[in-house]
Amino acid sequence: MHDRIPPSIHPLLLQYAELLQIELPDAFHGVHLYGSIALGAYDDQKSDIDFVTTINRSLTADELSRLKNVHRRLLRSSPLAKRMDGMYIRLEDVGKVNGELQPYPCCASGTFKPSAYWDVNHITWWTLKHHAIPVAGRELQPLIRTDWRDVSDTLKYNIEDYWAQKAEKRLCFLLDEWVESAVLTLCRIEYTLQEQHIISKTGAGEHALAVLPEQWHPQVHEALRIRTGSGIPAFSSRLRRAAAIQHFLKERIRFCQEHYFS
């Protein structure tokens, strides 16, 4: 097992790889990890196990049924299987994004879905291209054609078509999960645009504390507090927090638009 894979998940991944090669001997190509594991930020207590399994061709109805049973067996064998999030992508579709694909097999929180959409975008492919950890099978990186412009265009879409709309909904930021997601994602986007490199959300938050003006530190501290589960609240009330998070989002979105997308 690759030395970048946390020892706690070795048994689960070994079982998964063995079952794939038994149940899909003609279709299986390889399994690779991305996400927090590949970025060196895996948390044994709560991180997802993000994977991409490549297959040589479309799966038959019988193979999809067997694959569903694979994930059922994993859930029975290990509680960590509930953290498995991933996609089954044909070799001919490597590098494509959801808008170019028909629904594909995927796994969400350990539950297999024979036909759906999941985390297939250029940021995923870029991370795999530069940081993928092999679990079993053949190489994936040489097949990925995603370049930096693809990543930049995806981040522009994320900011202008998703987060700009979310920033108008102040009440979302009464909820801890939205505070964490919004602040650390914007920190990560800004870091990625500046450095042309992808790091973990926690790493992006820590970097933001080092480079952003102090007026933004309470918002970042609050997001990191929620993510890590340690520290004291940075705001005296959730209403004040919601207003501050909204202000943070709007200003960081404006900064990115002026400096990277103008």
Side-chain angles (χ1 to χ4, degrees):
M1 190 66 64
H2 198 285
D3 59 10
R4 288 167 57 203
I5 298 176
S8 60
I9 63 173
H10 283 190
L12 173 65
L13 293 177
L14 284 171
Q15 183 185 14
Y16 175 56
E18 290 172 0
L19 288 172
L20 284 181
Q21 292 174 84
I22 292 169
E23 299 296 341
L24 305 177
D26 300 324
F28 175 71
H29 175 268
V31 179
H32 291 78
L33 303 179
Y34 69 105
S36 60
I37 296 174
L39 297 174
Y42 181 77
D43 184 328
D44 258 332
Q45 300 303 312
K46 61 182 181 180
S47 289
D48 296 326
I49 302 170
D50 298 302
F51 70 91
V52 169
T53 295
T54 41
I55 49 180
N56 297 318
R57 53 171 172 76
S58 298
L59 300 179
T60 66
D62 178 64
E63 287 170 330
L64 289 170
S65 178
R66 282 187 266 151
L67 195 49
K68 184 175 183 178
N69 286 330
V70 165
H71 285 282
R72 284 177 173 171
R73 289 182 62 179
L74 295 174
L75 286 169
R76 289 195 298 266
S77 299
S78 171
L80 290 173
K82 291 182 180 180
R83 296 204 218 153
M84 291 183 71
D85 288 340
M87 305 83 74
Y88 292 84
I89 302 297
R90 299 181 304 174
L91 292 180
E92 63 190 88
D93 293 329
V94 169
K96 295 180 181 178
V97 297
N98 278 336
E100 303 172 283
L101 297 172
Q102 295 296 312
Y104 44 81
C106 59
C107 177
S109 300
T111 299
F112 178 72
K113 300 180 179 182
S115 181
Y117 287 103
W118 196 243
D119 192 29
V120 181
N121 57 63
H122 287 302
I123 297 171
T124 296
W125 290 123
W126 180 269
T127 305
L128 284 160
K129 183 177 181 178
H130 295 279
H131 303 285
I133 301 176
V135 175
R138 284 159 282 181
E139 281 191 295
L140 175 61
Q141 285 94 329
L143 305 177
I144 301 173
R145 299 289 178 249
T146 295
D147 61 24
W148 178 251
R149 181 175 292 277
D150 295 321
V151 175
S152 179
D153 288 345
T154 300
L155 295 176
K156 185 174 188 294
Y157 173 84
N158 286 348
I159 284 178
E160 296 182 347
D161 288 72
Y162 183 80
W163 286 111
Q165 294 182 37
K166 189 62 68 176
E168 299 299 326
K169 301 176 181 179
R170 180 182 295 187
L171 293 182
C172 285
F173 309 119
L174 294 174
L175 303 175
D176 284 356
E177 55 264 38
W178 277 110
V179 171
E180 176 193 347
S181 177
V183 172
L184 297 184
T185 296
L186 263 293
C187 290
R188 191 183 195 183
I189 288 174
E190 193 168 336
Y191 176 92
T192 302
L193 289 168
Q194 179 181 351
E195 302 294 334
Q196 296 192 12
H197 176 70
I198 296 173
I199 60 174
S200 69
K201 287 184 179 180
T202 301
E206 292 169 349
H207 178 265
L209 290 175
V211 300
L212 291 184
E214 287 190 10
Q215 73 180 101
W216 305 122
H217 287 196
Q219 291 93 325
V220 179
H221 276 302
E222 181 69 358
L224 288 171
R225 177 190 71 81
I226 295 167
R227 186 167 185 83
T228 62
S230 63
I232 60 174
F235 298 92
S236 59
S237 76
R238 286 180 179 262
L239 286 174
R240 289 185 178 181
R241 184 182 74 175
I245 298 301
Q246 183 183 47
H247 184 42
F248 176 90
L249 257 66
K250 288 187 173 185
E251 286 301 307
R252 301 327 301 167
I253 289 170
R254 182 189 60 78
F255 180 89
C256 288
Q257 288 173 323
E258 290 181 358
H259 288 79
Y260 301 111
F261 302 138
S262 58

